Amino acid sequence: MSQHATAYAYTTPPPRVRTGLEEAVDRLSRVDQLVAELPETPPRAPEADGDQERLGEVTVTHRFVDAPGDGETVRWHYVEGGPVDAPVVVFLHGVPDSWWQWHYAIEALGSDFRCLAIDLKGYGQSEKGTGDFRQEGVAIQLEALLDELRIERFSLVTHDRGTPVGDHLAARMGNRVIRYGRGQQHLWHLHPDLHPQQDVFTSPEAPAVLADARRIVVTAYSVLGEREVKVSDLVRTVQEFSHDGINTAVPRYFNSSSFRQEWIDRRTRLISQWKCPVLLLQGADDPLQPREFYTDPDVVAKLPEGSAVHLFDSGHFWPFEAPEEMAAVLRDFLD
């Protein structure tokens, strides 16, 4: 048995999680109906550098930038809104999402913050070629992007699978990260029952499964969500997850590491390198991420001074399930 296997024991989920898992499985039986009810999602024409889009009272600009990485460059797509001289907030989305996951946050914060919502490599309209898809490797490439944009200091807000990349970014960039809103991802506690998606994304069938963006989005949001999400947000999420190459690029993340390895990395080296206050942002009713794992005072005590937890009255996808609550919490944290 390896040293890691003997040194790090899994945490048993609280009893109520079993009920949540059973409910999540039951929701799978309704996916076909929900997919059929979703309005048609015609392909969305790709944006060009400089295209603008209105989000509430905020106008954002689509940007495409080549930054060092993978031997030569990585092409990134992101949207930017807010005053250019304002404090910077960088947003990283999860799966099956894109920069669009943060449009409510940009609407709420864009008057006072320079908001950058980035399509992670392999997602949306960012680079999808072969290369380094380790969480740490992508973080190194994101650091190169921020350097290319001459962003010296910033706050970081993440969700789901954008968070492992954010964990490495916060560790690498130290005092350049002012605050870290760490969203919806395992931290100190873990159990194999709570990351079944690893088997899905590493299977030979993964590219074919991910090619059906409508089904992937509806499945994720119906199984892990607790509150209603606007149909318009689901439609746009499907469109952004339908860009060519996503279905083959996204599995590279899961084939480059594992949930357990990420967990060990956090425990052994990443958490100790975080320098800024960390706000753990979790949906209270996510069936795969028990709230008790994040309110454990021993866990919060391991984080930098000033760190805390906020539990949204929602499931996994609080950026869409609880947009007003999210906006208020983020503004309070960032101010």
Side-chain angles (χ1 to χ4, degrees):
M1 184 175 292
S2 71
Q3 180 181 356
H4 284 163
T6 57
Y8 299 99
Y10 286 118
T11 304
T12 302
R16 67 171 185 81
V17 172
R18 181 55 54 190
T19 301
L21 290 172
E22 292 170 354
E23 292 176 354
V25 171
D26 180 63
R27 293 174 191 172
L28 285 172
S29 64
R30 302 197 296 272
V31 167
D32 286 343
Q33 177 184 347
L34 295 172
V35 170
E37 293 173 353
L38 188 70
E40 289 301 314
T41 51
R44 182 178 177 83
E47 276 78 22
D49 186 61
D51 284 355
Q52 293 188 326
E53 186 168 349
R54 191 73 172 173
L55 302 179
E57 298 300 316
V58 177
T59 298
V60 298
T61 303
H62 290 263
R63 294 296 187 194
F64 292 84
V65 173
D66 292 330
D70 282 343
E72 293 184 0
T73 61
V74 172
R75 186 165 179 80
W76 298 94
H77 168 252
Y78 65 93
V79 300
E80 180 175 12
V84 294
D85 58 348
V88 176
V89 185
V90 173
F91 295 93
L92 302 179
H93 64 83
V95 59
D97 291 286
S98 67
W99 75 269
W100 180 255
Q101 185 173 51
W102 300 112
H103 78 92
Y104 291 117
I106 297 172
E107 290 177 28
L109 301 173
S111 59
D112 300 302
F113 295 89
R114 181 185 175 192
C115 299
L116 276 71
I118 301 171
D119 277 345
L120 286 168
K121 190 171 80 163
Y123 293 81
Q125 297 180 71
S126 285
E127 178 80 39
K128 300 179 188 69
T130 57
D132 189 352
F133 277 82
R134 296 173 303 120
Q135 308 293 353
E136 185 169 15
V138 175
I140 292 170
Q141 295 162 31
L142 269 173
E143 182 179 4
L145 170 65
L146 297 174
D147 288 343
E148 188 78 13
L149 300 178
R150 299 184 179 180
I151 294 173
E152 182 59 30
R153 303 190 73 213
F154 61 96
S155 293
L156 180 64
V157 179
T158 65
H159 185 269
D160 186 70
R161 300 307 293 164
T163 297
V165 176
D167 288 347
H168 283 280
L169 196 64
R172 287 185 55 82
M173 302 190 73
N175 291 327
R176 290 177 65 180
V177 183
I178 303 169
R179 289 177 176 81
Y180 182 15
R182 185 187 189 277
Q184 214 59 42
Q185 189 60 217
H186 302 288
L187 179 63
W188 191 259
H189 298 302
L190 187 68
H191 192 275
D193 288 351
L194 303 180
H195 52 80
Q197 63 270 50
Q198 181 170 298
D199 291 339
V200 174
F201 284 97
T202 56
S203 73
E205 294 77 25
V209 171
L210 293 176
D212 189 348
R214 282 173 64 91
R215 179 168 293 275
I216 284 291
V217 170
V218 169
T219 300
Y221 274 80
S222 60
V223 170
L224 299 180
E226 283 292 322
R227 297 172 63 178
E228 185 175 356
V229 172
K230 288 184 178 179
V231 171
S232 59
D233 284 326
L234 292 177
V235 168
R236 181 67 179 265
T237 300
V238 170
Q239 290 176 320
E240 296 290 347
F241 202 70
S242 298
H243 289 292
D244 289 344
I246 290 176
N247 65 314
T248 55
V250 168
R252 295 183 188 127
Y253 283 95
F254 295 87
N255 286 308
S256 297
S257 185
S258 67
F259 279 84
R260 183 177 178 85
Q261 185 59 55
E262 294 168 8
W263 174 58
I264 292 170
D265 286 344
R266 288 191 293 272
R267 283 184 164 219
T268 57
R269 60 190 181 99
L270 297 183
I271 291 176
S272 64
Q273 295 180 60
W274 296 344
K275 305 300 182 185
C276 63
V278 178
L279 180 61
L280 301 179
L281 301 167
Q282 293 291 138
D285 297 314
D286 185 335
L288 297 182
Q289 297 190 32
R291 65 182 77 107
E292 293 87 347
F293 282 6
Y294 305 90
T295 56
D296 179 351
D298 291 337
V299 171
V300 178
K302 299 178 189 300
L303 301 176
E305 183 178 355
S307 296
V309 180
H310 180 84
L311 295 177
F312 290 99
D313 180 19
S314 75
H316 183 85
F317 294 100
W318 42 263
F320 287 160
E321 293 182 66
E324 293 181 358
E325 182 184 357
M326 173 192 66
V329 169
L330 289 182
R331 178 170 289 281
D332 183 63
F333 180 56
L334 297 171
D335 282 343

